[in-house]
Amino acid sequence: TAFVTSTGALLTCGRGLKGALGLGSEANELRPRVVEGLPAIAAVSAGYAHTLAVSREGEMYSWGAGTDGRLGHGSEANEL
């Protein structure tokens, strides 16, 4: 699960499979935690095991399961 606050902070919680929460591990989180190191976020979409976020400046960020190139990084590597 992913939330964006009115100030653009991104918080995630739930299943951390393949690093989908963007918190640097595969641990599950029972409460929302801030995803560090991102600029102000405008939009977010959470998939089964990956997450994509777009900053207010239009930059795209993605992490989690890289299967089938779903992160757009040019590989199938998982990104924590």
Side-chain angles (χ1 to χ4, degrees):
T1 304
F3 313 86
V4 178
T5 68
S6 61
T7 61
L10 177 61
L11 295 90
T12 59
C13 62
R15 190 172 187 197
L17 179 69
K18 310 277 186 190
L21 299 180
L23 301 173
S25 76
E26 293 190 47
N28 296 336
E29 294 293 335
L30 299 179
R31 297 183 188 271
R33 288 187 47 204
V34 173
V35 178
E36 302 289 342
L38 295 174
I41 297 299
V44 65
S45 179
Y48 174 72
H50 67 290
T51 304
L52 297 114
V54 179
S55 74
R56 290 183 177 169
E57 292 80 30
E59 299 169 315
M60 189 187 86
Y61 298 87
S62 59
W63 54 88
T67 309
D68 300 322
R70 69 184 70 185
L71 299 179
H73 296 178
S75 77
E76 293 192 64
N78 299 334
E79 299 286 340
L80 298 180

